[in-house]
């Protein structure tokens, strides 16, 4: 399919794989999409700006980079930043079209429904989009597709008016008569208000006067005079700021022109360098309007489809979207005059060229798409750029999932291993991400459905780095498809998943290479430890302390997709014990902090676990999110036969007693060595570089620990 993507200030029309359907989404064939001349052009301009300019515009991103350097190190952070700078990003967040496929959990839409869609990164400028049902509404009969493509902008304007809570007969000022401002004027007029407007562009003031504006100006002083004359010097009842500027002048002006105990509502992105006076002296209400309305930025609402109760949250973002379209249908709103240009998707770059020129800009620009033909090329979830010839070496790799970890760790390592591996395919659920990374890597297959990689004969092996709840099922399918599998940890989140995977493997007459990303057992310092422990006659006593750092409670790793810190990360440490002890695990015990998560974090990120092995070895894992970042993240002590070893963050290994010595190096947790082992195993025909029994034992132990920590059954682990 065709999709508009942005990279380094350049907008391009690229062939991209169509998004795959998911249970809570609908697939929509787009007929019209609206270019937000303010928000999108700001993104285009910032994308092409220098690093210094970007840093000034987004100080919060600079803070994230500095934090990443402390956690990941400079090298990995630089790799991540470079990838982000080279990334193609999706454009668009408001469109209309028809439903062509419905997810299994969606009950309120059917194939053929005319719908309007919202959401940045979802309602893109693309021929096919996948959107959660909470961000989709049906288009009333009598409302054109072009008008319906305004749905996101309309919902933003409507939410701003709701925040102002204006009454019939009140006088309201709108600062900024761009697209949102024009619709806001019409909404306020329909609500029975007298509306006064300000915009530096006189033509926009004139247009608003035709559609509900009582009076308007392009000059601040003249605006003050108009307001004084219309309100008897008392000031307007409410001011809505719909301008888009870094200046704080519109906000300061709003306090001056609004009456005592009046309201100021910020809808647009404006500067807010404010003084306490005069809005303190007037006791004004200063309010922020959040995008489309309640539900915005809440993944439980938007992605998972958990609607807010109608009786308690009357106007959600979805209900605002529907109300906006209903107002158009009843003739209360007229957005058609706001459209100045319509471009076909094939000419979309001309639209951005026009918007990027100096001087007056079109108010609204709409893109049109060919409709009624959901051809195979348009709906395919894979784009094939050319097949590679069959070869045993290098191994042809398909990447499933291209998130931060894959970008900072596995991709750089695979790119450096050109004699033994070549990245042939890239799959990501997000079409823009798949296309961007696929083009960066020169992949011949770019997909949004991982099964396309499994079906493709030009791919020998897959590296799976998706969110954790998909790991076991994807690994099963890949093995049945005859692909070698490198699966990031954890192997599974529930016992049932492990049992199914085990059954699949046992049922294969010839199992492809299967490896879990338990990389610490392949780290050079772990290898040195195993060599030192070789031939020991007494049990081993070990303490592994993890200073993990806190994650937000709503972080995906703590969701059903991630399974929690214990199953998602502590599995590394359990496998480390398994690799150095080399004996079967006999028993486990665990204790976790039971205080309120708001004070100490979740139980599965603050616990102590004890492992007893068949040779008498005793290993203890202490995992906490409560420590200070100045303390090393991982520290290991080992004691045996009058000797000791201390490992700090896989940077320094010190032996005491016997042949005392110290080894220091840059941190190496074995990521590249584990990939190298995987590739050599493919070459040598070794199905399990790590014994399958070890993988099962580690995974079962972690799931059991999680059950004990939370006091729940293994069946509910996967659903919590």
């Amino acid at each position: 399919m065709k999709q508009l993507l942005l990279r380094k200030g350049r907008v391009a029309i690229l062939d991209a794989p169509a998004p795959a359907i998911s249970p809570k989404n609908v697939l929509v064939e787009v007929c019209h999409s609206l270019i937000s001349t303010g928000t999108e052009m700001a993104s285009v301009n910032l994308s092409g700006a220098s690093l210094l300019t970007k840093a000034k515009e987004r100080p919060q991103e600079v803070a994230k980079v500095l934090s990443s350097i402390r956690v990941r190190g400079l090298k990995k952070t630089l790799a991540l930043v470079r990838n982000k700078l080279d990334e193609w990003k999706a454009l668009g967040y408001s469109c209309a079209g028809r439903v062509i496929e419905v997810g299994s959990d969606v009950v309120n839409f059917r194939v053929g429904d005319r719908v309007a869609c919202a959401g940045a990164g979802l309602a893109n400028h693309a021929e096919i989009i996948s959107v959660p049902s909470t961000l989709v509404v049906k288009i009333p009969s009598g409302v054109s597709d072009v008008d319906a493509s305004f749905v996101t902008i309309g919902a933003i304007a409507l939410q701003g008016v709701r925040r102002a809570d204006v009454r019939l007969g009140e006088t309201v000022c709108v600062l900024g008569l761009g697209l949102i401002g024009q619709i806001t004027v019409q909404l306020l007029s329909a609500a029975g208000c007298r509306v006064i407007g300000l915009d530096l562009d006189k033509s926009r003031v004139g247009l608003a006067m035709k559609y509900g504006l009582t009076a308007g100006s392009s000059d601040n002083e003249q605006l003050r005079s108009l307001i004084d004359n219309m309100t008897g010097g008392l000031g307007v009842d409410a001011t809505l700021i719909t301008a888009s500027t870094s200046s704080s002048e519109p906000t300061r002006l709003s306090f001056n022109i609004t009456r005592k105990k009046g309201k100021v509502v910020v809808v647009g992105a404006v500067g807010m360098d404010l003084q306490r006076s005069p809005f303190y002296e007037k006791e004004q209400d200063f309010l922020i309007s959040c995008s489309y309305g309640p539900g915005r930025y809440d993944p439980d609402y938007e992605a998972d489809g958990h609607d807010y109760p109608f009786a308690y949250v009357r106007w959600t973002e979805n209900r605002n979207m529907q109300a906006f379209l209903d107002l158009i249908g009843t003739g209360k709103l007229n957005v058609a005059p706001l459209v100045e240009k319509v471009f076909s998707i094939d000419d979309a770059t001309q639209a951005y060229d026009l918007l990027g020129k100096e001087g007056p800009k079109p108010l609204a620009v709409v893109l049109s798409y060919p409709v009624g033909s959901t051809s195979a090329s348009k709906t395919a979830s894979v784009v094939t750029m050319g097949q590679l010839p069959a070869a045993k070496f290098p191994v042809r790799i398909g990447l499933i999932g291209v998130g931060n970890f894959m970008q900072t760790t596995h991709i750089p390592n695979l790119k450096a291993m050109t004699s033994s591996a070549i990245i042939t395919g890239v799959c990501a659920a997000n079409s823009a991400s798949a296309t961007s990374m696929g083009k960066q890597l020169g992949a011949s297959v770019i997909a949004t459905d991982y099964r396309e990689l499994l079906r493709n004969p030009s791919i020998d092996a897959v590296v799976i780095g998706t969110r954790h709840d998909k790991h076991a099922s994807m690994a099963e399918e890949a093995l049945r498809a005859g692909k070698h599998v490198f699966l990031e940890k954890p192997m599974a989140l529930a016992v049932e998943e492990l049992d199914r995977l085990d059954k699949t493997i046992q049922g294969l007459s010839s199992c492809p290479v299967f490896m879990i990303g338990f990389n610490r057992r392949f780290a050079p310092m772990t290898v040195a430890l195993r060599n030192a422990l070789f031939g020991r006659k007494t049990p081993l006593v070990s303490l592994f302390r993890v200073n993990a750092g806190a994650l937000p409670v709503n972080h995906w790793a703590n969701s059903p997709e991630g399974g929690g810190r214990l199953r998602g990360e502590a599995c590394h440490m359990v496998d480390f014990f398994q690799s150095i002890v080399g004996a079967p695990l006999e028993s486990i015990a665990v204790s976790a902090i039971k205080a309120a998560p708001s004070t100490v974090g979740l139980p599965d990120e603050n616990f102590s676990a004890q492992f007893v092995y068949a040779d008498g070895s005793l290993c203890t894992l202490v995992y906490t999110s409560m420590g200070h970042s100045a303390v090393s993240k991982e520290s290991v002590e080992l004691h045996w036969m009058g000797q000791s070893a201390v490992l700090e963050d896989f940077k320094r290994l010190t032996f005491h007693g016997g042949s005392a010595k110290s080894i220091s190096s840059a941190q190496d947790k074995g990521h590249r060595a584990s990939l190298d082992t995987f590739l050599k195993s493919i070459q040598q025909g070794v199905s399990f570089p790590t014994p399958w029994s070890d993988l099962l034992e580690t995974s079962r132990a972690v799931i059991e620990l999680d059950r004990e920590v939370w006091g729940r059954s293994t069946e509910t682990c996967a659903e919590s």
Side-chain angles (χ1 to χ4, degrees):
M1 69 170 188
K2 295 174 182 176
Q3 180 169 5
L4 272 187
L5 296 172
L6 169 66
R7 176 177 176 268
K8 294 183 177 180
R10 174 185 165 228
V11 177
I13 307 164
L14 299 179
D15 285 329
I21 192 65
S22 59
K24 299 181 185 299
N25 283 27
V26 294
L27 282 188
V28 176
E29 181 185 28
V30 177
C31 60
H32 293 90
S33 62
L34 178 71
I35 296 179
S36 171
T37 53
T39 302
E40 286 189 48
M41 288 312 298
S43 297
V44 171
N45 294 334
L46 185 59
S47 171
S50 67
L51 280 175
L52 181 60
T53 300
K54 290 178 180 177
K56 290 179 178 178
E57 289 288 326
R58 296 180 175 176
Q60 70 277 14
E61 297 300 322
V62 176
K64 288 181 182 178
V65 170
L66 295 176
S67 175
S68 178
I69 290 173
R70 288 192 294 270
V71 175
R72 294 188 175 96
L74 180 60
K75 186 177 180 180
K76 286 188 177 181
T77 299
L78 287 176
L80 183 60
V81 170
R82 290 192 192 100
N83 285 333
K84 292 297 182 185
L85 292 175
D86 288 338
E87 191 176 57
W88 288 94
K89 295 181 174 63
L91 287 167
Y93 61 91
S94 188
C95 65
R98 66 182 182 90
V99 176
I100 58 173
E101 191 172 351
V102 177
S104 58
D105 293 346
V106 177
V107 296
N108 51 335
F109 294 100
R110 294 183 178 181
V111 171
D113 285 346
R114 293 173 63 236
V115 293
C117 310
L122 298 167
N124 304 322
H125 300 310
E127 290 185 300
I128 306 290
I129 59 173
S130 176
V131 187
S133 60
T134 47
L135 290 170
V136 182
V137 293
K138 293 179 182 178
I139 302 174
S141 60
V143 177
S144 73
D145 292 332
V146 173
D147 288 358
S149 70
F150 278 72
V151 67
T152 304
I153 301 296
I156 293 171
L158 185 53
Q159 177 62 16
V161 172
R162 295 199 192 285
R163 290 288 282 159
D165 193 24
V166 293
R167 299 289 192 268
L168 187 71
E170 291 187 336
T171 303
V172 184
C173 182
V174 178
L175 300 181
L177 299 174
L179 206 50
I180 294 177
Q182 295 284 340
I183 296 173
T184 300
V185 167
Q186 292 193 39
L187 289 168
L188 290 167
S189 178
C193 297
R194 295 190 302 171
V195 191
I196 306 170
L198 173 74
D199 197 282
L200 298 178
D201 186 338
K202 293 181 180 179
S203 66
R204 294 186 175 183
V205 177
L207 179 64
M209 291 289 290
K210 296 178 182 179
Y211 298 98
L213 195 67
T214 309
S217 176
S218 296
D219 178 79
N220 287 6
E221 292 306 317
Q222 186 179 19
L223 177 76
R224 287 189 176 94
S225 294
L226 286 172
I227 291 172
D228 285 344
N229 291 334
M230 291 180 66
T231 66
L234 297 175
V236 296
D237 296 290
T239 298
L240 282 83
I241 307 172
T242 55
S244 179
T245 174
S246 59
S247 170
S248 299
E249 180 55 32
T251 315
R252 297 189 193 106
L253 174 63
S254 66
F255 296 131
N256 289 323
I257 61 177
T258 305
R259 67 171 174 85
K260 286 186 176 182
K261 294 187 176 293
K263 296 173 184 173
V264 173
V265 180
V266 176
V267 181
V270 293
M272 289 193 285
D273 181 13
L274 310 174
Q275 295 178 339
R276 190 165 180 247
S277 176
F279 71 92
Y280 165 74
E281 295 167 3
K282 290 185 174 182
E283 204 174 13
Q284 295 164 333
D285 291 336
F286 181 58
L287 306 170
I288 302 293
S289 180
C290 181
S291 199
Y292 329 152
R296 188 65 181 127
Y297 309 117
D298 179 357
D300 284 341
Y301 176 92
E302 292 188 334
D304 295 338
H306 298 147
D307 195 8
Y308 298 154
F310 183 89
Y312 296 94
V313 187
R314 176 63 181 90
W315 294 110
T316 60
E317 58 182 339
N318 184 276
R319 293 194 268 271
N320 275 339
M321 291 164 63
Q322 192 67 66
F324 169 73
L325 295 183
D326 289 342
L327 287 168
I328 294 176
T330 57
K332 301 289 178 58
L333 293 179
N334 185 5
V335 297
L338 306 181
V339 180
E340 296 184 30
K341 295 281 184 180
V342 177
F343 291 87
S344 74
I345 183 63
D346 294 321
D347 299 325
T349 55
Q350 297 178 25
Y352 285 90
D353 289 342
L354 175 64
L355 293 169
K357 290 180 179 178
E358 294 293 331
K361 306 287 193 301
L363 192 60
V365 175
V366 172
L367 300 178
S368 65
Y369 302 74
V371 293
S373 172
T374 51
S375 63
S377 62
K378 184 186 287 189
T379 59
S381 60
V382 61
V383 173
T384 304
M385 314 299 289
Q387 299 293 327
L388 291 175
K392 291 185 178 180
F393 235 60
V395 177
R396 298 167 299 179
I397 301 288
L399 306 178
I400 302 178
V402 288
N404 286 350
F405 181 76
M406 192 78 87
Q407 291 181 36
T408 58
T409 305
H410 289 329
I411 289 175
N413 284 331
L414 288 169
K415 287 169 67 177
M417 304 164 76
T418 54
S419 63
S420 52
I422 180 170
I423 298 173
T424 306
V426 170
C427 175
N430 182 284
S431 178
S433 297
T435 303
S436 175
M437 188 55 64
K439 290 187 177 296
Q440 284 185 49
L441 297 174
S444 61
V445 181
I446 303 172
T448 53
D449 185 344
Y450 68 93
R451 295 178 182 88
E452 299 288 356
L453 270 60
L454 304 186
R455 287 191 284 262
N456 198 297
S458 70
I459 293 173
D460 305 312
V462 291
V463 177
I464 301 175
T466 61
R467 293 191 173 180
H468 304 159
D469 61 327
K470 306 273 195 311
H471 284 191
S473 60
M474 284 186 175
E476 279 188 74
E477 290 187 62
L479 291 171
R480 286 198 297 265
K483 305 298 184 186
H484 305 295
V485 176
F486 185 101
L487 178 65
E488 256 311 317
K489 54 76 193 169
M491 188 163 72
L493 294 181
V495 170
E496 295 82 0
E497 294 176 348
L498 282 179
D499 290 342
R500 285 195 299 268
L501 187 54
D502 184 35
K503 185 177 180 181
T504 295
I505 287 174
Q506 302 300 336
L508 294 172
S509 57
S510 177
C511 187
V513 176
F514 182 64
M515 186 169 177
I516 302 298
F518 289 143
N519 48 277
R520 283 161 179 77
R521 68 163 56 216
F522 298 98
M525 291 184 182
T526 305
V527 174
L529 274 173
R530 277 201 299 269
N531 291 337
L533 291 166
F534 181 76
R536 65 181 171 84
K537 304 298 183 181
T538 63
L540 171 73
V541 174
S542 178
L543 170 66
F544 199 138
R545 188 268 300 149
V546 183
N547 178 30
L551 285 179
V553 173
N554 61 353
H555 190 278
W556 75 266
N558 292 324
S559 74
E561 291 179 313
R565 299 292 285 278
L566 199 161
R567 283 180 284 171
E569 185 181 36
C571 54
H572 270 309
M573 293 77 213
V574 179
D575 179 73
F576 175 87
F577 288 148
Q578 182 71 48
S579 73
I580 61 171
V581 173
L585 178 62
E586 286 196 340
S587 66
I588 58 175
V590 64
S591 297
I593 286 182
K594 302 297 184 182
S598 60
T599 58
V600 300
L602 298 171
D604 70 342
E605 58 184 19
N606 288 285
F607 65 89
S608 173
Q610 193 173 77
F611 305 82
V612 179
Y613 294 86
D615 68 346
S617 292
L618 176 64
C619 298
T620 302
L621 170 61
V622 175
Y623 192 101
T624 181
S625 64
M626 297 168 61
H628 192 279
S629 59
V631 178
S632 62
K633 181 179 179 182
E634 298 178 21
S635 176
V636 186
E637 287 186 17
L638 301 101
H639 309 279
W640 75 103
M641 296 172 60
Q643 300 181 65
S644 297
V646 179
L647 174 61
E648 288 290 336
D649 261 341
F650 291 86
K651 296 178 181 178
R652 184 179 181 87
L653 174 60
T654 305
F655 291 96
H656 302 273
S659 55
K661 61 179 179 178
S662 182
I663 305 170
S664 297
S665 71
Q667 186 180 68
D668 186 346
K669 293 185 178 181
H671 293 109
R672 177 159 180 175
S674 63
L675 282 173
D676 187 56
T677 301
F678 175 63
L679 297 171
K680 287 179 179 176
S681 298
I682 293 173
Q683 190 179 34
Q684 297 165 3
V686 178
S687 292
F688 297 100
T690 302
W692 176 237
S693 58
D694 281 9
L695 297 178
L696 274 178
E697 187 170 273
T698 294
S699 298
R700 290 187 190 279
V702 170
I703 293 170
E704 175 65 16
L705 282 175
D706 190 81
R707 182 185 70 82
E708 295 294 332
V709 163
W710 289 98
R712 59 195 178 194
S713 70
T714 54
E715 287 76 11
T716 57
C717 284
E719 301 169 2
S720 58

